[in-house]
Structure formats: C-alpha cells, structure tokens
Amino acid sequence: MVEELLTAVVAAGVGAAVYMGAAARVVKQYERGLVFRFGRLREEVRPPGFTVIVPLIDRLRKVNMQIVTLPVPAQEGITRDNVTVRVDAVVYFKVVDPASAVVAVEDYRFAVSQMAQTSLRSIIGKSDLDDLLSNREMLNQGLELMIDSPAVGWGVQIDRVEIKDVSLPETMKRSMARQAEADRERRARVINADAELQASHKLAEAAEVMSEQPAALQLRLLHTVVAVAAEKNSTLVLPFPVELLRFLERAAPPPPAAPAHTDPAPAGPASEGPGPDGVGPLPEGGDGPEPVSPPPEPPALGTAGPAPFPDGSAP
C-alpha cells in the first residue's frame, strides 16, 4: 500500500513537472506576449516576466517592441527637373499595438519596407535636385508622413525617416562643380571690386592729406623704399622727384656773390691813332676828318696774278 502511494506521488510530481515545463513561458522586458487559444486571439496581452499557458491548447506569440532600424534599398528615379538620381534611406519604427501588428498584417517588417520604397520613389519624382541635396529635412518629414499613414492600421509607429545618400551621374557632378566654381569666382571678383573701391576712397583721403603737407609725400616715398629694400632680392632704382629737388634747393643756403673785376681804360690823347671807325686825327684848320684808305686785300688762293718781270719787279 505504501509503495503504491509513493508511486502515485512520484507520478503526480513528474506529471506536474512536465505540465509546468510545457505551460511555462518567459516574456522578456522588450517583448509582449499574445496568446492564441484554438486559433482565437486572447484579449489579454501578457506582460514581461513569467507567464503560463495551457499546453496543447494555447500558443504564445512574442512581439518585439524595440525600435527597428530598416534600411531602404537604393531607388533610382527621375526628379521633377529631369535629373536621374539614385537615393537610399533608412526607416526607424516600432510596434505600438502588438495585436494589430500580428493580426492585421502578415509581416509588418516586409510591409513597412515595401511602403518605404514606394514612398521614396514618389518623393524623388515630386522633388527637385536642389531639394534632394539641400532641403532634406522637409523631404524626410514628407516621407515619414507617407509611410506612417498606412502603418497606423498595422499597429506600427514610424519614429523617423532619413535620406542617407543621393548618387548623381558623373556628368551632373562635373556640371555642378563648374557651376560652384563659377559662383565662387563671381563672389571673389565682387569682393576684389569692393576692396578696390574702399582702397580708392582711403587713397583719395590720403592724397588730400599729403597735398596739404608735401613733406608727407617724401616720407611715404622713403617708407616705400625701406619696405622694398628689406626683400634684398631685387635691384632698386630710386627716382628723385622734382619736388624733392626743389625742396633741397630751397633748403640750401645761397652762394656768396663774387666781386666784379674791371680793367681801367689806358689814358692817352684822343687824337692818337685812328678812331673806332677808322677815322684819323683831325688836322688843324681842316674842314673834316681825312678818310683812311683800307689796306689792300690779299689775292685769293688759287687765283693767278700778273706775271713778274725777268728782273723780279712787279709790273
């Protein structure tokens, strides 16, 4: 009798252990449990921790409540301004209603992935290339709304959508590079012109100040010479302006005046010798000056004169 009782107790314990092993379940902190009894969903959602189901009758389905990172494959499309681009994105979502995520849709991950790809193609066709490159925040918000609208009925909440990369053709990249280079060159020219305008105003003011003080111009010239001479790699040619020479001329003392040397005329009678006009002395009692005959002119070279006589006398 005792042996039969012990055998029954042991059998009951083994059966209870097997039952508990088949009925016991553990739901993790980031999961929620859904119980299906004979295929029908129980309204109670099992919280995290230890839970028990009826073996062979109930089936426990665990649903992950964490945020899921779903990469969207690159989609190729044509923008509104007829540019072919290739865009990929990433979707962050989580399950907020486990019952709807399991019952309303067969595979909510696959459904969200397909909806994200379709919405991404639609966004590419409605946007310009400049919006895809510089205005991504607005496109992310529009893409999030397009995906979140059908996902609400699936018990899924779209947390965030980000466009990762926009791939452009090589020809478009070169065109954009030339455009950016031209724009930077334009801004550089505008900046240079503005600098020249400001410098011209300052130079005009400096010229007005230097015109009032001529010495300031000379000091500025000397400063320029010192700045150029500091390089020691070129020959310096220094011109002297006329103003500097005039300034030195005014600053130099005047030379002393030299004494005048005059030779006295020799004293003598006015009647000796012929006068300056070749007029001889006046005779006493004469009516006028006696003209003096000029000396005979010598014969010109190369002119044959009269032949002399044989005795050497002139004819």
Side-chain angles (χ1 to χ4, degrees):
M1 186 68 183
V2 176
E3 295 179 357
E4 294 178 357
L5 183 60
L6 291 176
T7 304
V9 171
V10 171
V14 172
V18 172
Y19 179 84
M20 291 301 297
R25 295 290 186 273
V26 175
V27 180
K28 297 180 181 179
Q29 180 66 36
Y30 54 87
E31 294 176 341
R32 297 296 183 270
L34 298 177
V35 178
F36 290 88
R37 180 168 294 177
F38 295 110
R40 295 179 63 87
L41 177 66
R42 305 286 294 180
E43 296 181 359
E44 181 185 0
V45 178
R46 301 299 174 89
F50 180 80
T51 185
V52 178
I53 62 174
V54 179
L56 303 177
I57 297 177
D58 295 342
R59 185 172 60 89
L60 181 65
R61 174 75 179 272
K62 299 178 182 179
V63 180
N64 193 338
M65 304 296 291
Q66 292 177 316
I67 295 178
V68 180
T69 302
L70 180 65
V72 181
Q75 302 297 314
E76 187 173 354
I78 300 177
T79 61
R80 190 167 56 182
D81 51 353
N82 299 325
V83 178
T84 303
V85 295
R86 190 177 181 87
V87 183
D88 57 351
V90 58
V91 179
Y92 302 90
F93 69 94
K94 63 181 179 179
V95 177
V96 294
D97 188 359
S100 299
V102 173
V103 176
V105 62
E106 180 182 1
D107 188 352
Y108 64 90
R109 288 174 178 264
F110 182 75
V112 172
S113 176
Q114 294 300 314
M115 179 56 65
Q117 296 179 32
T118 306
S119 302
L120 184 59
R121 290 196 200 96
S122 178
I123 285 292
I124 293 174
K126 295 179 181 179
S127 305
D128 295 332
L129 179 60
D130 294 338
D131 295 335
L132 288 175
L133 296 177
S134 60
N135 197 9
R136 293 188 181 183
E137 294 183 358
M138 184 181 67
L139 296 180
N140 293 336
Q141 294 177 0
L143 188 59
E144 180 180 348
L145 291 176
M146 293 180 66
I147 301 175
D148 189 59
S149 297
V152 172
W154 303 338
V156 177
Q157 178 183 355
I158 304 300
D159 188 70
R160 191 169 185 179
V161 180
E162 293 287 343
I163 295 177
K164 292 198 303 183
D165 188 21
V166 178
S167 300
L168 299 175
E170 293 297 329
T171 56
M172 180 58 64
K173 290 181 180 180
R174 289 194 293 267
S175 300
M176 295 176 64
R178 290 195 299 268
Q179 179 183 1
E181 183 179 358
D183 184 66
R184 290 183 178 275
E185 185 177 358
R186 178 185 62 84
R187 285 186 291 177
R189 290 183 179 180
V190 170
I191 293 174
N192 288 336
D194 191 13
E196 292 292 339
L197 179 60
Q198 296 179 7
S200 62
H201 290 319
K202 295 300 181 181
L203 289 175
E205 295 178 2
E208 292 179 0
V209 175
M210 290 182 180
S211 62
E212 298 177 358
Q213 297 292 335
L217 182 61
Q218 309 305 326
L219 293 176
R220 183 58 185 165
L221 176 63
L222 295 177
H223 290 167
T224 305
V225 171
V226 171
V228 174
E231 298 295 334
K232 296 181 181 180
N233 58 358
S234 60
T235 302
L236 180 62
V237 179
L238 180 62
F240 283 94
V242 179
E243 290 79 3
L244 179 60
L245 298 178
R246 290 178 181 175
F247 176 76
L248 297 177
E249 183 180 358
R250 289 196 299 268
H261 297 280
T262 55
D263 295 335
S271 60
E272 295 181 358
D277 298 333
V279 181
L282 298 177
E284 294 180 359
D287 296 333
E290 182 180 0
V292 179
S293 60
E297 297 180 358
L301 297 177
T303 304
F309 289 100
D311 55 358
S313 61

